[in-house]
Amino acid sequence: MNKKQRNSILQLVRLIVGFITLTILLLNRADIYYYILVFILPTISSIIMDQLLPVSIKKKKQKQPRKNQRIDNKAAHNQLRTDHEIVKMSLDEMPWREVERLCFLYYKSKGYKPELTKQGADGGIDLIYYHPQDGKTAVQIKHYIRSQKEISVSLIRELDGSKRNYGCVFSEFITTSTFTNPAVTQAPRGMNLRDIHWFNREIIPWMKKETQKRKLA
């Protein structure tokens, strides 16, 4: 029973009790105290009925999460796949974080000691690797495949300046696109430029060998 139904019943009870009481008093010609009772008795009856009648409270249904609810695109974008899955994928399928992970795995397999920096690192340094002969190298990685976006000279200068924040003498700029001519000609000594041709020549063949190796393991 909802609140509206209960109020309707209480109102009806008050009217019936009042009518019956008034009828009895008029027929018996009772004194003033009985007339006062006419107004009190319906009120008392309604209070009693109010305590006895149940009230059903409608609870708002809480929305239950769907079992097959889709993962937010941004969360899915930031969720790294396993190393085994990454080496089997094409560059077109990878978001930028997985390309960084791919480079990390490549240098690790070559005997370097790579270390991925935190997101939003100072100066855009994405990776640092150590080598007994080459020393400590700061790496910046830009995943611009199929975008026709080239690496400009300003990004080259930015990397050259920020490598010192990590105590690196050498630097390396890796991209899945290409470099502009000014970027190539003005790249400082000690900086290696790796573009999509490097990926096709070095990384892609390594990925195929690595995939085959993992299958045999």
Side-chain angles (χ1 to χ4, degrees):
M1 181 182 299
N2 57 36
K3 188 175 181 180
K4 186 176 181 180
Q5 291 173 333
R6 187 187 67 170
N7 290 337
S8 299
I9 294 175
L10 292 176
Q11 185 67 25
L12 181 61
V13 169
R14 282 195 291 267
L15 290 174
I16 294 174
V17 172
F19 177 77
I20 294 174
T21 305
L22 182 61
T23 302
I24 293 174
L25 292 176
L26 291 174
L27 292 175
N28 294 322
R29 295 181 180 180
D31 56 22
I32 189 170
Y33 295 105
Y34 289 96
Y35 286 102
I36 294 174
L37 189 63
V38 171
F39 299 99
I40 297 177
L41 188 60
T43 303
I44 295 175
S45 301
S46 64
I47 293 173
I48 295 172
M49 293 297 294
D50 184 60
Q51 297 297 322
L52 294 178
L53 291 176
V55 179
S56 61
I57 301 175
K58 292 183 179 181
K59 295 182 178 180
K60 294 182 179 180
K61 294 182 180 180
Q62 296 181 351
K63 294 182 179 180
Q64 298 294 331
R66 297 178 181 177
K67 293 182 179 180
N68 298 324
Q69 189 173 10
R70 293 181 179 179
I71 301 174
D72 183 77
N73 289 335
K74 186 176 180 180
H77 178 79
N78 290 329
Q79 186 176 2
L80 280 175
R81 278 166 274 215
T82 64
D83 294 345
H84 183 68
E85 291 175 313
I86 290 174
V87 297
K88 293 191 302 181
M89 295 169 60
S90 68
L91 293 175
D92 294 330
E93 298 176 295
M94 295 184 191
W96 60 268
R97 290 187 66 228
E98 290 180 345
V99 172
E100 291 179 1
R101 183 66 184 177
L102 178 67
C103 294
F104 171 88
L105 296 173
Y106 171 78
Y107 284 115
K108 186 177 180 180
S109 70
K110 297 299 180 180
Y112 293 72
K113 295 180 180 179
E115 177 185 344
L116 288 168
T117 62
K118 294 181 180 179
Q119 292 187 38
D122 185 25
I125 303 299
D126 302 306
L127 176 70
I128 295 173
Y129 67 76
Y130 307 84
H131 193 272
Q133 296 177 353
D134 299 332
K136 189 177 180 182
T137 301
V139 183
Q140 187 169 1
I141 304 169
K142 293 293 184 183
H143 185 35
Y144 292 151
I145 195 167
R146 308 299 181 200
S147 67
Q148 297 182 345
K149 185 175 182 180
E150 293 184 307
I151 302 302
S152 65
V153 68
S154 61
L155 291 175
I156 295 296
R157 291 169 180 167
E158 180 183 288
L159 172 59
D160 187 49
S162 60
K163 71 181 181 182
R164 299 181 182 89
N165 298 332
Y166 294 86
C168 298
V169 178
F170 301 100
S171 60
E172 191 168 285
F173 206 118
I174 299 175
T175 180
T176 51
S177 62
T178 55
F179 297 90
T180 63
N181 289 331
V184 174
T185 57
Q186 297 185 41
R189 187 176 180 182
M191 179 184 292
N192 291 322
L193 303 183
R194 314 288 195 188
D195 61 8
I196 187 61
H197 303 294
W198 177 75
F199 273 92
N200 293 331
R201 184 177 64 253
E202 297 289 338
I203 299 295
I204 302 300
W206 169 80
M207 291 172 67
K208 293 178 180 179
K209 291 179 182 178
E210 191 69 16
T211 301
Q212 188 64 29
K213 186 192 302 183
R214 290 169 183 261
K215 285 181 179 179
L216 297 175

